[in-house]
Amino acid sequence: MIIRFTVLCFVLVMTGRTVNAQEVQNTYVFTGALFPFILEQNNEGAPKGLSVDILKRISEITGDHIEVKMYPWARALQMAKAGVTHGVIGPYKSEEREAYLNYSSTHFYEDRMVLLQRQQSSISWKGDLRSLSSYTMLAINGWAYGPEFSAALPFLNVENVSTAEQALNMLCKERADLVALNERNALYEIQKENVWNELSIMEPAFRTVVGYFAFSKEREDLAFENRFNTALNWLATSGEIKQLSANYGLSYIGPTVE
C-alpha cells in the first residue's frame, strides 16, 4: 500500500497533477529557527523563505498538510529528538543528529562555512583550523560545522553563543577574535548591522555543507517520509528547487553536492 501510494504520487507529479487535500488527511509539524532566506518571518509573524516554498509544493503534491513553527535552533532540534514534532528544517548532517533524525533523501540548500574577523585584524589563515589555537573563536550553539571543525575543537578556544547576531556584536566589540558561520548568515548579519567596514570574511572557506529536511525517528512514519522524499526528489531533479532558490539570490547545484 505504501509503495503503491508513493508511486502514485510520483506519477501525479510527473503529469503535473497534485493530490487534493481531501485525499490525504494528515498534518505534520516541522520546526526550525531563523535561517536567512531559508526560514524567516513576514511582518505578520508567519513563516516564509525557501523552505516554506518547498514545503508548500510538497504539500500540494502529496496532500499532506505541513505546518511550520519557529523556535531557537537548539530547541527545534530537541523537539524533533523527543518526538514532539515530526521533523526539523535545515539541519546539516552530523553523527550525533543521525542518531535521532532520518534525513531527507536529498538536500535543498548549500552553504560555505567561513570565518570572520575584524578588518583591522591580521590573523593569518590558510585553511588549517588548528593554526588558530591562540585566538578566541565564537560558534553558534547547536550548529554542525563539519568533521574538520569537530576534529580541530580540542585545539581551539571556542565559545558557543546563541545567535549569529550575538556573535557578530561580540566580534565588533572585541570580545572575541573570530566567528565561525556559514557565508549566507554572515552576509545577512553584516548587511543588517551595517558593519561592512568593520568585519571581513576570511578565505578560503573551511567546508561546503548542505542542508536537509529531517524526520523525527521518535515519530517515525515511513509512509509519510516516502511521499515527502518522492516529491522532494522530483522538485530537485526537475530544476524547481533551483528556480525557487534563485528567487532568494541563492545558488543550488543539486543532489550531486556532498
Side-chain angles (χ1 to χ4, degrees):
M1 179 66 178
I2 292 173
I3 295 175
R4 268 195 342 221
F5 187 86
T6 302
V7 172
L8 172 62
C9 285
F10 181 77
V11 171
L12 292 173
V13 172
M14 295 300 292
T15 59
R17 178 176 177 263
T18 57
V19 179
N20 189 290
Q22 298 295 322
E23 297 178 45
V24 182
Q25 290 290 339
N26 296 319
T27 298
Y28 297 88
V29 178
F30 278 71
T31 55
L34 172 63
F35 285 175
F37 311 114
I38 304 299
L39 181 59
E40 302 181 73
Q41 290 179 313
N42 63 22
N43 293 334
E44 289 72 41
K48 68 174 186 176
L50 176 62
S51 66
V52 178
D53 294 348
I54 294 172
L55 289 174
K56 180 180 179 181
R57 287 290 292 120
I58 291 174
S59 180
E60 290 171 350
I61 292 165
T62 67
D64 297 299
H65 176 67
I66 301 175
E67 185 177 353
V68 176
K69 296 185 177 182
M70 295 181 65
Y71 295 96
W73 183 236
R75 183 180 175 190
L77 287 173
Q78 185 58 40
M79 292 173 75
K81 183 177 182 178
V84 176
T85 57
H86 297 87
V88 64
I89 296 168
Y92 306 144
K93 280 188 177 180
S94 72
E95 184 176 350
E96 177 188 359
R97 292 173 183 173
E98 287 184 287
Y100 60 89
L101 294 175
N102 289 330
Y103 283 83
S104 57
S105 55
T106 188
H107 67 279
F108 72 98
Y109 73 96
E110 297 146 11
D111 275 330
R112 295 173 73 241
M113 306 305 292
V114 297
L115 298 172
L116 285 78
Q117 66 174 342
R118 290 182 297 278
Q119 287 198 7
Q120 67 268 28
S121 298
S122 56
I123 299 173
S124 177
W125 167 245
K126 296 182 180 179
D128 180 9
L129 287 164
R130 297 188 186 193
S131 69
L132 304 173
S133 59
S134 61
Y135 301 100
T136 301
M137 183 185 302
L138 302 178
I140 311 305
N141 185 37
W143 282 29
Y145 286 87
E148 297 88 355
F149 192 87
S150 297
L153 272 177
F155 306 92
L156 299 176
N157 180 17
V158 175
E159 178 182 344
N160 289 319
V161 296
S162 299
T163 65
E165 180 181 9
Q166 180 184 2
L168 262 66
N169 285 336
M170 291 176 67
L171 183 61
C172 288
K173 295 176 181 177
E174 302 187 14
R175 295 172 59 187
D177 302 304
L178 297 163
V179 170
L181 281 179
N182 63 58
E183 189 174 37
R184 174 177 46 80
N185 276 80
L187 292 172
Y188 174 86
E189 293 296 338
I190 289 172
Q191 180 174 352
K192 186 183 71 171
E193 301 298 324
N194 193 24
V195 290
W196 294 105
N197 295 326
E198 297 181 49
L199 304 179
S200 62
I201 295 175
M202 303 167 71
E203 293 290 349
F206 61 85
R207 185 170 180 81
T208 297
V209 296
V210 296
Y212 297 79
F213 296 103
F215 313 97
S216 170
K217 287 187 175 181
E218 187 67 23
R219 298 191 60 153
E220 196 166 60
D221 184 337
L222 296 181
F224 169 65
E225 293 178 28
N226 286 338
R227 294 195 299 273
F228 188 105
N229 283 326
T230 299
L232 181 64
N233 289 342
W234 186 83
L235 293 173
T237 57
S238 69
E240 189 165 345
I241 291 180
K242 184 175 183 178
Q243 293 172 356
L244 292 171
S245 299
N247 294 337
Y248 297 92
L250 302 174
S251 62
Y252 179 75
I253 297 174
T256 58
V257 173
E258 295 295 338

